[in-house]
Amino acid sequence: MSSLYQNIHQELIELCGKNDPKAQFKIYKLYYKAMYNSSLRIVKDEAEAEDIMQEAFLSAFKNISKYKGEVSFGAWLKRIVINRSLDSLKKKKLEIFPLEDELYKLKEDDSNYKIDDNKEQIELIKHGMNLLPTGYRIILSLYLLEGYDHEEIAQVMNVTASTSRSQFLRAKKKLIQILEKEKTKKLL
């Protein structure tokens, strides 16, 4: 397997291509936590995220010959995990992008909400993200946490890049509303 992207675990990846169970287990242990967290942020269910991750690893090992080294192995695997997570939501027929009239017209710099970088604020943001509608949570997770750009999100979500941008802005505004409400609750 020749690779354009030099992976630090290239030998293990090549052994996985030869169905070496020890190499597969080592790759699994290396990427398990990050892939599980990526799935959990999307599906919000620990058991489901675990199942998705298991299926994603099986699929990755089965299709490892399709990995051409154009991106890191972790990025390739994460794409599989995210796609499977989104498929799981679609099977449940969840509405991914609800439209809310008051959020229809948004500007990029619509808010001056300030976030302190401390543990309490981080927990508040995580809690706020979990309160978001599914589509908003997914867009924020893919963009802010997984590092996808709007073109990549559009491809994964089967929407246009402009839809991704507008949904991101709506999600951001909704998260700010939730955070302000939660902050007010704490003060009472």
Side-chain angles (χ1 to χ4, degrees):
M1 176 187 298
S2 82
S3 162
L4 304 172
Y5 187 94
Q6 188 53 47
N7 287 290
I8 56 174
H9 307 294
Q10 190 63 39
E11 284 181 41
L12 286 175
I13 294 166
E14 288 173 10
L15 288 170
C16 287
K18 298 174 183 171
N19 292 318
D20 181 311
K22 287 182 183 176
Q24 289 173 338
F25 185 67
K26 285 180 183 178
I27 287 288
Y28 175 82
K29 283 177 58 177
L30 287 166
Y31 290 96
Y32 163 84
K33 188 80 170 160
M35 298 305 127
Y36 171 78
N37 287 332
S38 291
S39 181
L40 184 60
R41 283 190 288 267
I42 293 172
V43 299
K44 275 181 48 173
D45 179 276
E46 291 177 5
E48 186 177 359
E50 181 72 33
D51 289 346
I52 288 166
M53 198 208 45
Q54 300 291 339
E55 291 171 12
F57 272 98
L58 290 173
S59 176
F61 293 143
K62 181 180 173 187
N63 295 299
I64 204 158
S65 63
K66 294 179 182 173
Y67 173 64
K68 301 298 180 201
E70 295 163 352
V71 296
S72 72
F73 182 77
W76 181 76
L77 183 58
K78 185 186 284 187
R79 175 70 70 136
I80 294 169
V81 169
I82 287 171
N83 285 337
R84 289 203 173 249
S85 299
L86 293 172
D87 288 345
S88 175
L89 292 179
K90 288 174 190 168
K91 283 179 190 168
K92 292 179 179 177
K93 305 271 192 269
L94 290 176
E95 184 180 341
I96 294 185
F97 292 130
L99 286 177
E100 297 177 19
D101 293 335
E102 76 274 7
L103 298 174
Y104 187 70
K105 298 270 185 201
L106 298 171
K107 293 183 211 113
E108 189 74 47
D109 56 281
D110 219 10
S111 168
N112 292 328
Y113 191 80
K114 298 290 181 226
I115 297 171
D116 299 326
D117 190 15
N118 65 42
K119 198 170 190 164
E120 186 178 326
Q121 281 285 357
I122 291 168
E123 288 306 311
L124 181 64
I125 292 168
K126 284 181 183 177
H127 175 69
M129 283 185 72
N130 282 331
L131 296 175
L132 286 170
T134 303
Y136 290 171
R137 189 182 71 256
I138 292 169
I139 289 288
L140 283 178
S141 292
L142 292 177
Y143 188 82
L144 297 174
L145 304 174
E146 306 302 338
Y148 282 42
D149 63 30
H150 289 293
E151 286 70 26
E152 291 170 316
I153 294 170
Q155 188 178 25
V156 169
M157 301 290 293
N158 200 22
V159 296
T160 65
S162 62
T163 297
S164 174
R165 282 184 196 88
S166 67
Q167 290 297 324
F168 173 75
L169 292 174
R170 288 181 180 133
K172 190 169 109 178
K173 181 164 182 111
K174 186 72 173 171
L175 179 60
I176 290 167
Q177 290 171 350
I178 289 170
L179 294 176
E180 287 171 348
K181 188 185 280 185
E182 293 295 313
K183 210 172 187 181
T184 303
K185 276 187 200 175
K186 281 194 162 205
L187 295 174
L188 298 176

